[in-house]
Amino acid sequence: MISEDVSPMTLSQMFNREQIEKFNTLNTPFYYYDISLLSNTLTACTTEANKYGFHVHYALKANFDQKVLETIRSFGIGADCVSGGEVRRAVEVGFENKKIVFAGVGKSDAEINFALDHEILCFNVESIQELEVINKLAGLKGKKASVALRINPNVNAYTHKYITTGLEENKFGINQWEFEKVLVALKSLQNVNCIGLHFHIGSQITDLNVFKSLCIKVNEIVNWFQERHLTIKVINVGGGLGVDYYNPDTNKVADFETYFKIFDLFLERTAQQEVHFELGRALVAQSGTLISRVLYVKHGQVTNFAILDAGMTELMRPALYQAYHKIENISSQDQNSARYDVVGPICESTDCFGKAVELPETKRGDLIAIRTAGAYGEVMASNYNLRDRVNVVYSK
Ligand code: LLP
């Protein structure tokens, strides 16, 4: 337990003593969502986007927790979905149907029908084959479906290869060599109405020059289609803005100011054209923390292991992408520190949150905070090893 004379700031920049005492009474592991930090992030994002009249859709795949979604919706942000389940969730949470977009390379007929019934803003169509299926299903309902063509622009996002999506080798979108064919298809398909183009080149992009390169490529492609008399009302540039996993305490939310300014400067558009963004991580990552408890400390000859009650089943990113998350012992104020491999209980050697992590002397029962876990954390949890579903706790 925490003694009275300890300043909370020596324990954690994020959590005060009262919070940590509360955490000590709760069942671990759990995701803790700081709703006021989320609101600050959303304020920063919408303030900057509004300067240029940009439209933001939130990528539900990053986190579809009910309270998180309600908070996001309350800022007037739209929803970017990649499954029928996400479209359903967005509708249930109250996102306006005309602010819902639906992407994904493998939309099933049932998912397409569900979205058609709810008259969403548009389908981001990833192939000519999909265009034909949407055309057919819309026709059967006597409807005209709005679509945007997802283009694979072949722009390198310079991020982890597993989260790069805009290269020709990736499965996403329509490639340049298919453009003529898609124009021909659009002319003959009577039940689809193409409202624009969609791009998304990858996630956790921290080199903002990448977005300048994207703009240059998007301008080229938009012009190509406009020269061939396709009306582009919407230019959707996707998401991908990265966050600083190394410094979760800086109180500096993602750099929305520079991000949107780049698009304002480099993306050619007319006053009639809408620019859409699909941000996920940058909106939710910093406001989530995985709180876990140390079950055992094993001292080896070369390695100490801190074995937690959370594992890759609760937060898969380190196992899947070797992703870094800052790890803090928020219970211990021990002056002595040691290095630990911080691992979970799952029967896999990749079930490791960090190797040789320097922590204050750590013991059974200590609380461990794994930071910047609000995006692609809880949503990627599994019940492998027949684990229970992870709990959720919110800030007041
Ligand atoms: N739009 C589309 C079409 C996407 O595929 C994605 C993410 C986004 C928007 C949102 O991207 P964001 O702003 O969050 O970067 N599980 C991985 C990330 C996968 C991202 C998939 N697509 C991770 O944990 O890093």
Side-chain angles (χ1 to χ4, degrees), residues 229-303:
H229 312 295
L230 188 72
T231 310
I232 309 283
K233 188 177 153 235
V234 171
I235 305 170
N236 181 336
V237 291
L241 177 61
V243 298
D244 186 351
Y245 281 89
Y246 290 89
N247 298 295
D249 284 320
T250 52
N251 274 339
K252 184 174 145 281
V253 292
D255 189 358
F256 296 111
E257 191 182 349
T258 314
Y259 174 69
F260 288 121
K261 198 176 279 170
I262 288 173
F263 287 93
D264 179 50
L265 284 175
F266 298 105
L267 192 71
E268 291 168 5
R269 65 212 189 267
T270 64
Q272 288 74 43
Q273 281 173 324
E274 292 177 12
V275 183
H276 292 198
F277 292 80
E278 298 173 341
L279 292 172
R281 187 188 317 265
L283 298 184
V284 291
Q286 302 291 21
S287 53
T289 304
L290 177 61
I291 305 286
S292 169
R293 208 176 277 281
V294 178
L295 289 174
Y296 304 101
V297 176
K298 262 169 63 169
H299 295 282
Q301 279 195 323
V302 275
T303 312

Side-chain angles (χ1 to χ4, degrees), residues 42-282:
L42 294 165
T43 303
C45 175
T46 48
T47 305
E48 294 304 323
N50 290 345
K51 281 187 187 167
Y52 312 106
F54 291 159
H55 299 242
V56 178
H57 293 106
Y58 166 64
L60 262 77
K61 63 178 82 68
N63 187 320
F64 41 70
D65 173 87
Q66 180 81 12
K67 196 156 181 177
V68 168
L69 289 185
E70 283 168 3
T71 309
I72 293 172
R73 191 219 54 211
S74 73
F75 278 76
I77 288 173
D80 162 41
C81 304
V82 282
S83 71
E86 286 190 357
V87 175
R88 182 188 298 276
R89 177 67 62 88
V91 170
E92 283 167 1
V93 171
F95 284 91
E96 282 171 46
N97 295 20
K98 283 295 170 212
K99 284 190 181 174
I100 298 177
V101 297
F102 183 14
V105 287
K107 301 178 188 78
S108 71
D109 292 17
E111 290 176 313
I112 293 169
N113 279 325
F114 183 81
L116 285 169
D117 290 342
H118 287 83
E119 311 211 330
I120 62 166
L121 173 63
C122 82
F123 293 84
N124 291 332
V125 171
E126 308 237 7
S127 64
I128 296 175
Q129 294 87 327
E130 184 194 329
L131 202 54
E132 288 165 354
V133 171
I134 293 176
N135 181 66
K136 184 172 151 223
L137 296 176
L140 288 174
K141 289 180 183 293
K143 294 192 172 193
K144 198 156 185 154
S146 292
V147 300
L149 304 174
R150 177 165 182 182
I151 306 295
N152 186 332
N154 204 17
V155 171
N156 198 334
Y158 295 103
T159 182
H160 192 288
K161 70 175 186 324
Y162 290 177
I163 50 177
T164 287
T165 51
L167 289 177
E168 208 173 305
E169 68 199 54
N170 302 127
K171 66 181 172 183
F172 302 98
I174 297 166
N175 288 304
Q176 211 142 350
W177 51 267
E178 297 170 299
F179 285 0
E180 295 279 3
K181 237 172 119 184
V182 88
L183 278 180
V184 173
L186 280 175
K187 284 210 180 86
S188 70
L189 302 173
Q190 295 303 305
N191 309 315
V192 291
N193 175 31
C194 182
I195 62 167
L197 301 182
H198 170 233
F199 303 82
H200 172 78
I201 55 171
S203 198
Q204 183 52 16
I205 296 169
T206 49
D207 174 1
L208 296 188
N209 283 317
V210 165
F211 293 114
K212 182 179 165 189
S213 310
L214 173 65
C215 288
I216 291 165
K217 195 72 195 208
V218 169
N219 294 341
E220 223 177 81
I221 296 172
V222 168
N223 285 332
W224 190 93
F225 278 101
Q226 289 182 149
E227 279 162 12
R228 284 152 186 85
H229 312 295
L230 188 72
T231 310
I232 309 283
K233 188 177 153 235
V234 171
I235 305 170
N236 181 336
V237 291
L241 177 61
V243 298
D244 186 351
Y245 281 89
Y246 290 89
N247 298 295
D249 284 320
T250 52
N251 274 339
K252 184 174 145 281
V253 292
D255 189 358
F256 296 111
E257 191 182 349
T258 314
Y259 174 69
F260 288 121
K261 198 176 279 170
I262 288 173
F263 287 93
D264 179 50
L265 284 175
F266 298 105
L267 192 71
E268 291 168 5
R269 65 212 189 267
T270 64
Q272 288 74 43
Q273 281 173 324
E274 292 177 12
V275 183
H276 292 198
F277 292 80
E278 298 173 341
L279 292 172
R281 187 188 317 265

